Amino acid sequence: MRLEYPANVKIIRVPCTGKVDVIHLLRALEKGADGACVIGCMEGSCYFKGGNYRARKRVEQAAKILDSIGVGGQRIRMYNLSSGEGTLFAQYANEFTEHIRALGPNPIKKAGKKAA
Amino acid sequence: MIVAKQKPIDEIIKMVADCGKILVLGCNECVTVCEAGGKKEVGVLASALRMYFLNQGKEVVVDEHTLERQCDHEYLEEIRDIADKYDAILSLACGVGIQFTAEKYHDRPVYPGVNTCFLGATEQRGVWTERCQACGSCILAETGGICPVSRCAKRVMNGPCGGSSNGKCEISKDVDCAWQLIIDRLKALGRLEDYEKVMPLKDWSTDRAGGPRKVTKEEVMD
């Protein structure tokens, strides 16, 4: 397929998106990531029944926390696709990167540098 | 267990806004089960606070620690050596734990990170409901194991009242009429004749109205 997606996207593999917790998303931003997206299986086709539904709730919860502390919940998103959809993965990676680029760098990172 | 709910983050921020070093202190007991103040919630809150302060350009240290229990001397001793290092302790334990921490570390400000709600049970994950008001003189033997003190809005001892309709309480369609539940349970137990017995006046002297309470068990006291 030789599909391209931005080189700045770092992939972290998890056994199921149900494993992703609020703290993982917050830590990603706290440690300087500009955004984090969770890519889970299609809704209704989770191998472990409802892992991707749980992940979506946690993404929403983390976004709410980020909104309340002024970092911006829109830096966190969830996408769904099936494992055979490489093209869609590349499309989502491009779309999310553009979305984050439009938001600008993570304000925490900027503030942290200033403080140092 | 004691059911609590985390306070809104902006309310928490207001309390600790002027502190330079904060200890977020969790509890491994009830508040862990009701997902309000366990190790996980401590991690999330501490991370959110660190990000908030960084974003504000403030250098604030936010550390995390979770005790086995905050309502016991021996476990609270665990932070004896570190408590002095902090400008504030933000406790995510129930009201009991928060107060006990404050009593033990008298010169450290201790702030509540949760609102303590009631004594309840886990209906399902994320749903907790009230079951006991700790009235100090249990009548569950007479009422088929269903408590009219905590589950009836009026605390009626000989119910149901006129507000009961189709098994629901007049305060909300989502609230079961405790006395309907009692009657159904007595029927299931084959004890419906007990319902006919008029309950005497309840002794409320053991309830909160008598002031702060104390329980002692002399045979185990040192």
Side-chain angles (χ1 to χ4, degrees):
Chain A
M1 266 202 231
R2 298 201 178 276
L3 297 164
E4 281 187 15
Y5 65 89
N8 56 315
V9 175
K10 185 180 176 186
I11 295 178
I12 297 168
R13 287 197 292 178
V14 287
C16 166
T17 47
K19 176 71 193 141
V20 180
D21 220 319
V22 177
I23 190 65
H24 299 132
L25 298 164
L26 295 186
R27 285 266 160 83
L29 267 84
E30 193 187 338
K31 285 181 182 254
D34 294 318
C37 77
V38 177
I39 302 188
C41 298
M42 298 297 288
E43 288 191 353
S45 47
C46 173
Y47 185 76
F48 302 104
K49 275 186 165 176
N52 47 2
Y53 290 114
R54 287 187 173 176
R56 184 168 290 279
K57 277 193 172 177
R58 289 166 191 164
V59 167
E60 284 165 10
Q61 204 186 330
K64 222 183 264 177
I65 294 171
L66 290 172
D67 270 334
S68 66
I69 55 170
V71 176
Q74 65 273 45
R75 290 183 181 276
I76 286 184
R77 258 189 195 175
M78 169 128 189
Y79 291 106
N80 296 86
L81 48 76
S82 90
S83 57
E85 293 177 301
T87 321
L88 200 56
F89 171 80
Q91 188 192 314
Y92 285 157
N94 279 308
E95 186 188 306
F96 189 66
T97 306
E98 283 314 311
H99 165 69
I100 295 296
R101 196 161 281 151
L103 290 173
N106 179 352
I108 305 293
K109 200 162 55 175
K110 258 167 111 184
K113 269 183 194 159
K114 253 186 231 167
Chain B
M1 72 176 156
I2 297 172
V3 179
K5 195 178 176 188
Q6 202 169 93
K7 280 182 178 287
I9 200 151
D10 37 337
E11 191 183 335
I12 294 175
I13 288 169
K14 264 183 212 158
M15 288 189 277
V16 295
D18 300 324
C19 302
K21 227 174 162 198
I22 304 160
L23 177 66
V24 183
L25 192 62
C27 179
N28 264 343
E29 294 285 341
C30 315
V31 286
T32 297
V33 183
C34 64
E35 306 191 38
K39 199 175 178 184
K40 214 178 209 181
E41 292 73 32
V42 165
V44 169
L45 180 62
S47 173
L49 287 175
R50 279 192 294 266
M51 280 196 271
Y52 169 79
F53 287 120
L54 258 179
N55 202 17
Q56 297 293 309
K58 289 184 190 169
E59 277 187 69
V60 176
V61 175
V62 183
D63 288 340
E64 307 164 21
H65 199 94
T66 302
L67 298 176
E68 199 53 41
R69 272 201 290 280
Q70 282 190 38
C71 53
D72 252 322
H73 284 296
E74 59 179 299
Y75 295 112
L76 267 174
E77 279 301 322
E78 207 177 302
I79 56 162
R80 172 69 60 200
D81 297 335
I82 59 166
D84 287 350
K85 294 179 197 158
Y86 297 96
D87 300 326
I89 297 173
L90 180 60
S91 170
L92 297 193
C94 68
V96 180
I98 299 164
Q99 289 185 66
F100 216 45
T101 306
E103 279 172 37
K104 206 147 174 77
Y105 299 101
H106 209 59
D107 59 350
R108 289 298 103 191
V110 179
Y111 297 111
V114 300
N115 290 322
T116 305
C117 304
F118 49 76
L119 300 180
T122 311
E123 292 258 3
Q124 63 179 73
R125 192 168 173 205
V127 180
W128 295 275
T129 49
E130 189 164 15
R131 285 290 185 280
C132 179
Q133 290 201 342
C135 70
S137 104
C138 194
I139 52 160
L140 285 171
E142 285 81 47
T143 57
I146 291 150
C147 174
V149 178
S150 59
R151 301 190 67 183
C152 168
K154 288 177 176 169
R155 290 178 153 194
V156 178
M157 288 299 128
N158 293 286
C161 73
S164 175
S165 130
N166 297 322
K168 299 289 174 189
C169 175
E170 64 184 333
I171 63 159
S172 163
K173 280 180 196 153
D174 299 327
V175 177
D176 289 324
C177 167
W179 275 98
Q180 183 66 55
L181 296 177
I182 292 169
I183 291 164
D184 292 346
R185 176 104 164 106
L186 288 176
K187 204 186 282 176
L189 293 170
R191 282 177 46 202
L192 204 52
E193 69 279 7
D194 286 355
Y195 174 63
E196 299 288 326
K197 293 176 193 162
V198 174
M199 209 157 340
L201 284 174
K202 184 168 159 44
D203 174 14
W204 289 105
S205 65
T206 54
D207 191 54
R208 176 65 184 80
R213 295 166 285 178
K214 188 178 194 172
V215 173
T216 51
K217 190 172 179 180
E218 281 181 19
E219 56 271 39
V220 296
M221 280 163 70
D222 289 329

